[in-house]
Amino acid sequence: MSAKRPCSDPAGNDSRKKQQLESVAFPTESPQGILGEGGGIQATRIPEQKIESKTTGTRCTDPDEEPIKLFSSDQRLADLKIDEPTCIVCGKYGEYINHMTENDVCSLECRDLDTDMNGPVRQKPTSAQIIPGVSSGYVADNVHAKFTNYVETKEVAAMPQDQIMAMRKAHLIKVNGTLIPHPIVSFDQCRQTLGDTLLDNLEDMNWSMATSVQRQAVPAGLAGRDLFVVAPTSAGKTGAFVIPVLVHCQTLSKMHRYKRRYGPYALIMAPTRPLCEQIESTIKRLARGLPNTRTALLVGGVAQAEQLYRLRKGVQIVVGTPARILDVATYHPHVLRLWRMRIIIMDEADTLMGNTSKEVRQILGKMPDKLVRQYCYFSTTIQHADVMNKMMRRQQRVIEIHIGQRDEDAEENKLVKKLRMNTDVRQTVLWVENASKVKRLTSILNDPKYYQPPVVVFVESRLGAEYLMRTLQKRRASRHWRVIAIHSDMEREERNAILGAINKPEPEWDVVVATDILARGIDLPTVQLIINYDMASSLENYIQRVSRAARPPGISQREQHRRGWAITFLNEDHAFIHRALAKLLASRPPGQVTPMPGQLRKFVSS
């Protein structure tokens, strides 16, 4: 154990250095120790210590130095105002460094606990430990993949190539890569790897049958392979990465004898707080009954002290936004411990690399390259292709999975070719001047042909949401509607309550005026009509808004056939997006787009 105390160097200069202590241990026998005559540990002063400086390699002795503290109770509290190091075990002043783990500790007592939890395993292998089997060619080279050792069942392994191709074609799955695991039909085909508890939790969530993206991404993720997945909203991307993450965390936890402070093992990044909360909620539901599986949510708007406390207690999976993760990693690195992460997941990766690319790169830069990690990127669109190509350099033997047919028309706008859209939402564009927007909106909401509550009305700003909500509440023709606004300035609990009220079988709100906080990653299974009162700022955001009216997987077959509808108000204020939007709508089948206004049709032939 190294002591953080001054020691004179050969030049005679006193400096604060890391010094090596030799042969320091607890007394093992004591006739009358601190525990009484029954024996125990005696808190006697350690004799003069021989100290070796890691910096100079010299030895020095200081008989006047205070003894090494034996117990945590002997140590003082850390002064957090000056960012003093804290003990990894008890949180007191981390005066010493455990040379077995390089962690800060406060005493010999905590050193032994830290070594037991985090130090190298010295005991001989027992039957309780995992012994890696013979891995198949499709299994990755990272540690958790080798020990999870995903093996296809006989039924899946024997699937002929023509049947595999037919399944992928039927589910619009396009795959690129080498040594790709065969797709699955149901999660029961992975029972040997998933285990009964996880399968039961999947059944409770009505997830027994895999969606299109899960059929290929889950077995590839269980094999530990790096993934780049592009799939529409509500395609089941969350389950596609959460299921493998839970399995691998169980494997790593078992390797480390279920020590709760040995993690975290997995880092999941998403661009918004609601999406992070939704991901963590899914993890908790699927992790019921799994030993030593805890999560920490690192997002803004929540007291950081609570998040740090959760991390110190020990977690296996961290979910958060890049800004808060970077903040914790910068100022509390020994609490988050990024260097222990073995699985990195980026949900809505295209947005992350567009709006928060700097923070993401800084987070990844804090992870040492000596570990072979698993990198998985999931996205709805591919707009920042150049940035994503740079991110893919970290990946090895990557498997690319695209759900939905690609548009190969070389004459289409380059941006449109990179976007993927849901195919079950009918789209209507209306040319409406700003002065007529409220009148047109109330007209649509009063028309039984369109009105199917709850209706989500998207606006561009918080003030716009509050103004439109009050306007609808005051209009005589709309007094029977239950109208609410939702935006980022609201408290998290208030937003969660509104979302819960929307998603009930009998929704409590008829009209929800929202900013783009509802546009990405949030499941709204009861919403069939969305109205773009203010046009989105980009084509990507437009697609995310429209996707809120898509039918998500897991609902009844009857509901799946009820197509959603998206109505967009457009005028000259949005001239910057006219051409791209026109080309995008023209690329859809005729039944999915109503006739475009003349102001857009002129761009189709150009």
mmCIF file of all heavy atoms in Angstrom, residues 409 411-413 578-580 582-583 586 598-606:
data_model
loop_
_atom_site.group_PDB
_atom_site.id
_atom_site.type_symbol
_atom_site.label_atom_id
_atom_site.label_comp_id
_atom_site.label_asym_id
_atom_site.label_seq_id
_atom_site.Cartn_x
_atom_site.Cartn_y
_atom_site.Cartn_z
ATOM 1 N N ASP A 409 -31.992 5.273 -55.458
ATOM 2 C CA ASP A 409 -32.102 6.251 -56.539
ATOM 3 C C ASP A 409 -30.966 7.263 -56.436
ATOM 4 O O ASP A 409 -30.904 8.078 -55.522
ATOM 5 C CB ASP A 409 -33.450 6.961 -56.463
ATOM 6 C CG ASP A 409 -33.673 7.876 -57.648
ATOM 7 O OD1 ASP A 409 -32.786 7.979 -58.520
ATOM 8 O OD2 ASP A 409 -34.762 8.486 -57.706
ATOM 9 N N GLU A 411 -30.358 9.864 -58.103
ATOM 10 C CA GLU A 411 -30.694 11.258 -58.360
ATOM 11 C C GLU A 411 -31.359 11.920 -57.169
ATOM 12 O O GLU A 411 -31.568 13.121 -57.174
ATOM 13 C CB GLU A 411 -31.622 11.335 -59.588
ATOM 14 C CG GLU A 411 -30.953 10.858 -60.865
ATOM 15 C CD GLU A 411 -31.873 11.003 -62.050
ATOM 16 O OE1 GLU A 411 -33.035 11.417 -61.842
ATOM 17 O OE2 GLU A 411 -31.453 10.705 -63.168
ATOM 18 N N GLU A 412 -31.711 11.120 -56.148
ATOM 19 C CA GLU A 412 -32.348 11.725 -54.974
ATOM 20 C C GLU A 412 -31.349 12.556 -54.185
ATOM 21 O O GLU A 412 -30.137 12.367 -54.277
ATOM 22 C CB GLU A 412 -32.924 10.630 -54.073
ATOM 23 C CG GLU A 412 -34.330 10.235 -54.458
ATOM 24 C CD GLU A 412 -34.994 9.524 -53.294
ATOM 25 O OE1 GLU A 412 -34.336 9.323 -52.272
ATOM 26 O OE2 GLU A 412 -36.159 9.187 -53.437
ATOM 27 N N ASN A 413 -31.904 13.456 -53.435
ATOM 28 C CA ASN A 413 -31.057 14.265 -52.564
ATOM 29 C C ASN A 413 -30.217 13.372 -51.665
ATOM 30 O O ASN A 413 -30.699 12.374 -51.144
ATOM 31 C CB ASN A 413 -31.954 15.176 -51.709
ATOM 32 C CG ASN A 413 -31.164 16.116 -50.836
ATOM 33 O OD1 ASN A 413 -30.655 15.712 -49.808
ATOM 34 N ND2 ASN A 413 -31.064 17.356 -51.258
ATOM 35 N N HIS A 578 -37.897 22.898 -48.045
ATOM 36 C CA HIS A 578 -38.915 22.534 -49.038
ATOM 37 C C HIS A 578 -38.413 21.463 -50.003
ATOM 38 O O HIS A 578 -39.098 20.461 -50.246
ATOM 39 C CB HIS A 578 -39.366 23.773 -49.809
ATOM 40 C CG HIS A 578 -40.252 24.673 -49.008
ATOM 41 N ND1 HIS A 578 -40.724 25.881 -49.488
ATOM 42 C CD2 HIS A 578 -40.767 24.559 -47.750
ATOM 43 C CE1 HIS A 578 -41.473 26.459 -48.563
ATOM 44 N NE2 HIS A 578 -41.504 25.679 -47.502
ATOM 45 N N ARG A 579 -37.252 21.674 -50.601
ATOM 46 C CA ARG A 579 -36.764 20.759 -51.630
ATOM 47 C C ARG A 579 -36.537 19.357 -51.061
ATOM 48 O O ARG A 579 -36.971 18.351 -51.636
ATOM 49 C CB ARG A 579 -35.481 21.292 -52.245
ATOM 50 C CG ARG A 579 -34.925 20.414 -53.381
ATOM 51 C CD ARG A 579 -33.622 20.988 -53.915
ATOM 52 N NE ARG A 579 -33.839 22.301 -54.497
ATOM 53 C CZ ARG A 579 -34.228 22.507 -55.760
ATOM 54 N NH1 ARG A 579 -34.455 21.461 -56.557
ATOM 55 N NH2 ARG A 579 -34.393 23.718 -56.225
ATOM 56 N N ALA A 580 -35.851 19.280 -49.935
ATOM 57 C CA ALA A 580 -35.567 17.964 -49.348
ATOM 58 C C ALA A 580 -36.851 17.260 -48.926
ATOM 59 O O ALA A 580 -36.995 16.044 -49.118
ATOM 60 C CB ALA A 580 -34.638 18.124 -48.151
ATOM 61 N N ALA A 582 -39.862 17.668 -50.204
ATOM 62 C CA ALA A 582 -40.590 17.249 -51.404
ATOM 63 C C ALA A 582 -40.015 15.959 -51.966
ATOM 64 O O ALA A 582 -40.755 15.038 -52.345
ATOM 65 C CB ALA A 582 -40.547 18.366 -52.454
ATOM 66 N N LYS A 583 -38.699 15.857 -52.029
ATOM 67 C CA LYS A 583 -38.069 14.640 -52.552
ATOM 68 C C LYS A 583 -38.327 13.450 -51.634
ATOM 69 O O LYS A 583 -38.513 12.322 -52.093
ATOM 70 C CB LYS A 583 -36.566 14.870 -52.724
ATOM 71 C CG LYS A 583 -36.214 15.800 -53.884
ATOM 72 C CD LYS A 583 -34.710 15.943 -54.036
ATOM 73 C CE LYS A 583 -34.354 16.785 -55.266
ATOM 74 N NZ LYS A 583 -34.716 16.116 -56.526
ATOM 75 N N ALA A 586 -41.934 12.372 -52.164
ATOM 76 C CA ALA A 586 -42.102 11.769 -53.488
ATOM 77 C C ALA A 586 -41.541 10.360 -53.555
ATOM 78 O O ALA A 586 -41.943 9.561 -54.412
ATOM 79 C CB ALA A 586 -41.420 12.642 -54.541
ATOM 80 N N GLY A 598 -48.980 22.735 -54.271
ATOM 81 C CA GLY A 598 -48.225 23.136 -55.449
ATOM 82 C C GLY A 598 -46.865 23.726 -55.108
ATOM 83 O O GLY A 598 -45.910 23.597 -55.900
ATOM 84 N N GLN A 599 -46.731 24.348 -53.946
ATOM 85 C CA GLN A 599 -45.450 24.947 -53.571
ATOM 86 C C GLN A 599 -44.361 23.896 -53.386
ATOM 87 O O GLN A 599 -43.172 24.216 -53.460
ATOM 88 C CB GLN A 599 -45.616 25.755 -52.280
ATOM 89 C CG GLN A 599 -46.476 27.006 -52.419
ATOM 90 C CD GLN A 599 -47.953 26.699 -52.211
ATOM 91 O OE1 GLN A 599 -48.381 25.546 -52.298
ATOM 92 N NE2 GLN A 599 -48.737 27.737 -51.951
ATOM 93 N N LEU A 600 -44.761 22.629 -53.164
ATOM 94 C CA LEU A 600 -43.768 21.550 -53.027
ATOM 95 C C LEU A 600 -43.626 20.740 -54.304
ATOM 96 O O LEU A 600 -42.531 20.242 -54.607
ATOM 97 C CB LEU A 600 -44.153 20.606 -51.874
ATOM 98 C CG LEU A 600 -43.979 21.106 -50.438
ATOM 99 C CD1 LEU A 600 -44.270 19.985 -49.457
ATOM 100 C CD2 LEU A 600 -42.576 21.645 -50.205
ATOM 101 N N ARG A 601 -44.711 20.589 -55.059
ATOM 102 C CA ARG A 601 -44.662 19.753 -56.250
ATOM 103 C C ARG A 601 -43.641 20.249 -57.262
ATOM 104 O O ARG A 601 -43.045 19.444 -57.990
ATOM 105 C CB ARG A 601 -46.053 19.683 -56.915
ATOM 106 C CG ARG A 601 -47.025 18.779 -56.180
ATOM 107 C CD ARG A 601 -48.175 18.378 -57.109
ATOM 108 N NE ARG A 601 -48.881 19.543 -57.622
ATOM 109 C CZ ARG A 601 -49.922 20.115 -57.046
ATOM 110 N NH1 ARG A 601 -50.381 19.617 -55.899
ATOM 111 N NH2 ARG A 601 -50.515 21.159 -57.578
ATOM 112 N N LYS A 602 -43.397 21.545 -57.283
ATOM 113 C CA LYS A 602 -42.455 22.078 -58.267
ATOM 114 C C LYS A 602 -41.036 21.580 -58.048
ATOM 115 O O LYS A 602 -40.218 21.606 -58.969
ATOM 116 C CB LYS A 602 -42.480 23.601 -58.241
ATOM 117 C CG LYS A 602 -42.002 24.207 -56.929
ATOM 118 C CD LYS A 602 -42.088 25.730 -56.954
ATOM 119 C CE LYS A 602 -41.600 26.351 -55.646
ATOM 120 N NZ LYS A 602 -41.717 27.841 -55.678
ATOM 121 N N PHE A 603 -40.734 21.104 -56.818
ATOM 122 C CA PHE A 603 -39.387 20.615 -56.547
ATOM 123 C C PHE A 603 -39.190 19.158 -56.948
ATOM 124 O O PHE A 603 -38.065 18.698 -57.063
ATOM 125 C CB PHE A 603 -39.069 20.750 -55.054
ATOM 126 C CG PHE A 603 -38.976 22.162 -54.568
ATOM 127 C CD1 PHE A 603 -39.975 22.716 -53.790
ATOM 128 C CD2 PHE A 603 -37.885 22.953 -54.906
ATOM 129 C CE1 PHE A 603 -39.899 24.023 -53.335
ATOM 130 C CE2 PHE A 603 -37.800 24.262 -54.462
ATOM 131 C CZ PHE A 603 -38.803 24.796 -53.677
ATOM 132 N N VAL A 604 -40.298 18.442 -57.168
ATOM 133 C CA VAL A 604 -40.187 17.018 -57.474
ATOM 134 C C VAL A 604 -39.571 16.797 -58.834
ATOM 135 O O VAL A 604 -38.729 15.917 -59.029
ATOM 136 C CB VAL A 604 -41.567 16.342 -57.387
ATOM 137 C CG1 VAL A 604 -41.474 14.882 -57.790
ATOM 138 C CG2 VAL A 604 -42.123 16.475 -55.976
ATOM 139 N N SER A 605 -39.943 17.606 -59.798
ATOM 140 C CA SER A 605 -39.436 17.445 -61.154
ATOM 141 C C SER A 605 -38.110 18.148 -61.377
ATOM 142 O O SER A 605 -37.497 18.005 -62.428
ATOM 143 C CB SER A 605 -40.462 17.968 -62.160
ATOM 144 O OG SER A 605 -40.752 19.339 -61.909
ATOM 145 N N SER A 606 -37.658 18.954 -60.395
ATOM 146 C CA SER A 606 -36.424 19.723 -60.582
ATOM 147 C C SER A 606 -35.202 18.891 -60.271
ATOM 148 O O SER A 606 -35.279 17.859 -59.651
ATOM 149 C CB SER A 606 -36.435 20.954 -59.679
ATOM 150 O OG SER A 606 -36.522 20.580 -58.326
#
